[in-house]
Amino acid sequence: GCGADNESSGDSSEGESSEEERVFKLGHTGSESHVWQESIQHFDKKLQELSDGQLSIEIYPNSTLGNDEEMLQQMGTGSLDMAWITLAELTNHSSSFNAWFMPFIMNNMDEAYEVSKTDEALALFDTLENNSIQSLGYTYIGMRHVLMDGDPVSDLSDLEGNSMRVSPSPVIVDFWETMGSSPTSIPIAELYTSFERGVIDGVDIDLDALISQRLNEVGEGLTLTNHMTFHGASFVSDSVWAELSEEEQDIIQKAFDSAQQYNYEKSKKYAEDNLQTFKEEGGNVLEEVDSSWREGTEDFRQKYADEDELIKEFIDKSMEVSSGDE
Amino acid sequence: MTAAIITFIFLLLLGVPIAYVLGIVSVVYMIVSDNALLLMSASQSMFSGTQNFGLLAIPLFVLVGELMNSGGITTRLIHFANVLLGHFRGGLAYVNVAANMFLAAILGSPTAQTAMMSQVMVPAMEKEGYKKEFSAALTISSSLLAPMIPPSLLFIIYGVVAEVSIAQLFLSGILPGIILALGMVALIIMISIKESFPKTERASFEQIYKSFFRVFPALLIPIVILVGILGGIFTVTESSAVAVFVALVVGGFIYRELDFRKIPKMLKNTAINSSIVTFIIAMAELFGYILSYERIPQLISDFFVSISENPIVFLLLINVLFLLVGMVMEGIAALVILIPILLPVAVSYGIDPVHFGVIACLNLIIGLMTPPVGINLFIASSIAKIRMEDVTRAVVPFIVMALVVLMLITFIPSISLWIPETFSK
Amino acid sequence: MGKVMRPLEKITWFMERLTYFIVMISLICMSTTLILGVIFRYVLQSSLVGSTEISLFLLGWVTFLGASLSVKNNDMVSVTFLVDKLGHYKWAAKVISQVLVLAFSITFVIYGYLWIVSPDTLNAKSPELSMPMWIPFIVFPYAMFINVIFCIDNILKIVTNRNYSNNSLET
Ligand code: NA
Ligand code: NA
């Protein structure tokens, strides 16, 4: 990348040899109890094992080195070594990542994991050529569901006329508008009180955020729609990557692959735990939605597929994966 | 790091604007520590520092203050309060506390409240013969009620970071907030004995009635805000924009005192007065980034945690730590960095997370009025046009009072926990 | 000195007026956008996409432009008790202080520009409106640039007036 050229002499340790210990600074926006934190700790552990302690990771959670936008910028210039970034941020840089926000193309986490390994999913990373970053693969948070202040929604038409809090991403907003609801982008810090006082009627959310934001105190009806996935991706700064030997790059990739699997397994377990918590505290759960939800959103997916060949291929692939499982 | 600290103190004493002290020290650190690459992303950091929805309330409430002053709203409010409380010695000082308490039930941000009240109360008190420094100091410390009386942005952030019930946190702040207000009253009584505060003749019933009739349209502002927020019409931050609108209507069309030709001038004042604060926050983002990059908060907390195993000693140390951090860091940033590290330790000492939240939040809002980096000091001194040193000196008794309340809250957990435990399921 | 001062004064005057104008418009738009957001959601039962984003971007504009105006008017908060004791040499401390702000501003005219033209920024779009991110960001190098002009103007004024008054800038 272009950020790498001017400052290759920045780290004096690099030129000497691979005998030197190398500590990578890795940032993410999750909290210290977020599944990403644990998964990155696993990444670090594997990395140390595979490199005999030569390579390791220093984790900066809680956006301490900045938000996703800032961290991408820092990796581009080479001042941050690694980061786990949410896909919502990546759609601001390449609209092809909208592929991951197509509704009802995956039914559960196992399918999401399978899709994340496919060529069609990995091809999306090639569209980030301007960002001077090297991708290691996808990371995972959870499936998205619908939480309402009253009864859980059971039919696609129930979404109509409701004020929904959604992540401020054009594709997500577009989806909710197409469904006839009015999406609003209340900031996370004001989400709880806004939901409690009825500024919004419902939220589009994953189970981790639902419990950690304490939304179970204000929202009673949960529908496990599994309508979208909530993914991120792991990156290394191009200039850092270029300084590493092929062997080291290989070790990092292997350690990440292990962390990725760990990440999915843990997320799956936490989703079950969080659902249990929600039920125990008196929440009302509608366990699944019927096939009319997938059929009713066909036009929406088609619109995006028509615009971008990569999205079309991604949708086809993940439909293939999910129908294969049934 | 030593070089950075020396540069910091040197620039501060040289009279370099504090925002630039934070910025320049960060840049010097980046260059000296061989991290010049960080300069490439520094611009992004500073811009992102301003991209916080809660901060929007700052310029908007400064503008509300401008509109209230020019539209004859402030004079009517002060007049009404004076008719009610003016015959006590130091009446307007009590009005300041009472008004802040009322605002605290509407706003969750002490900085926004300081901005508004410095605009409104300090000139009014000065006109009545109070010392400007005392008036500013009282305004700053009364604004501490904002996050203690619900709603509170600080408690929401703590609840989210610590994964503690926000509803419980809101309830837990009420009693400490009331005690803080009582402490303020006690302090005013003590000071008013020493210095002879002004008082006026007791008002007749007819005067009270007339004054109330005149002030009623002005009371629409808090009423609209309260109904709007509680009724789920808008969020706390949006309420600041609605307040601008209501103040414009009341001053311009009901009282007809607002001169619309003066609006450009008011907007100008608003931009300058509020940017002084938000620009410091932008620079503090860069400075905080350096601290995080060097893991300074973690080093400090590791050190404190290693000292003792006694919960009482731990809580005392935590108070010292928070106060030190609060001196140099912005509260929300400090909360986000320190709570995830310290809360698990606190829980292992057997301390209730809700109680811990009240302690942490009170500490960090005290930090808003402690030098060298005290955002509320900056706001009050720039809006009320007083030298930082003079406000700082005047605010010392209030800091001492707040520390006494902090000690009470630290060592008597039931002050925080009684209401939430009584009212929750 | 006069030859430098006249055109510089004119540029300063023009930049100050222009900045005031942008800041006023920004504040009006900020309040209006937020209120419209409420009206759309509550009254019209739909959503004004981008109202949060626009108001936040405008906050960035007000912050950096307002801060530049404070540099112009010497309105920034600083600790002055030591400087006040310098008596006749107070102007020297003021010049050093202005030079430091000038150096900071020059640094970020350069790095701010590099940030805006980096492919990272040029290709990024805002999340709600898909607006190119350089539009909200451009205010940063612009504000740093007018800081440079204001600082030079301030320094020349302090140096020129040093023998007459120590408080030339406050008046
Ligand atoms: Na409050
Ligand atoms: Na402080």
Side-chain angles (χ1 to χ4, degrees), chain B residues 298-361:
Chain B
Q298 284 88 339
L299 288 178
I300 296 172
S301 60
D302 286 352
F303 168 74
F304 275 88
V305 163
S306 68
I307 294 179
S308 169
E309 285 175 14
N310 183 322
I312 293 183
V313 177
F314 170 75
L315 279 178
L316 270 176
L317 287 174
I318 284 296
N319 278 328
V320 174
L321 168 67
F322 275 135
L323 288 171
L324 288 176
V325 172
M327 282 172 81
V328 292
M329 255 181 111
E330 197 265 327
I332 290 173
L335 205 61
V336 171
I337 294 170
L338 286 178
I339 292 304
I341 305 162
L342 293 176
L343 184 67
V345 188
V347 170
S348 74
Y349 279 103
I351 296 158
D352 187 288
V354 171
H355 180 213
F356 191 69
V358 178
I359 295 173
C361 291

Side-chain angles (χ1 to χ4, degrees), chain A residues 3 6-7 10-12 25 31-34 58-62 64-67 69-70 73-74 77-80 186-190 192-194 196-200 212-214 217, chain B residues 34 36-38 40-41 44-45 48 53-54 151 153 156-157 159-161 163-167 170 229-237 285 288-289 292-295 336-337 340-341 425:
Chain A
N6 40 12
E7 278 292 343
D11 270 25
S12 52
K25 284 181 188 289
S31 70
E32 294 202 30
S33 57
H34 193 269
E58 196 168 37
I59 314 173
Y60 291 80
N62 280 318
T64 38
L65 294 185
N67 57 27
E69 190 183 14
E70 291 171 80
Q73 172 86 18
Q74 291 159 16
T77 64
S79 62
L80 177 63
I186 305 258
I188 208 91
E190 291 202 43
Y192 180 95
T193 40
S194 302
E196 186 184 33
R197 295 196 186 109
V199 175
I200 45 169
S212 66
Q213 300 288 331
R214 296 266 150 191
E217 291 175 13
Chain B
D34 224 4
L37 217 52
L38 290 174
M40 291 294 291
S41 46
Q44 172 85 59
S45 285
S48 296
F53 199 66
L153 286 181
I156 292 173
I157 294 164
V160 168
V161 173
E163 297 180 20
V164 173
S165 160
I166 294 161
F170 276 7
I229 293 175
L230 297 180
I233 299 171
F234 38 72
T235 65
V236 179
T237 305
E285 175 90 1
Y289 175 85
S292 307
Y293 195 81
E294 283 297 309
R295 310 212 143 217
V336 171
I337 294 170
I341 305 162
K425 53 232 140 130

Side-chain angles (χ1 to χ4, degrees), chain B residues 326-328 367-368 370-371 373-374:
Chain B
M327 282 172 81
V328 292
L368 293 173
T370 55
V373 183

Side-chain angles (χ1 to χ4, degrees), chain B residues 267, chain C residues 18-32 58 62:
Chain B
L267 291 171
Chain C
L18 177 67
T19 308
Y20 272 138
F21 182 73
I22 304 175
V23 152
M24 283 176 209
I25 301 294
S26 302
L27 274 171
I28 293 171
C29 292
M30 189 197 285
S31 340
T32 317
L58 290 172
V62 171

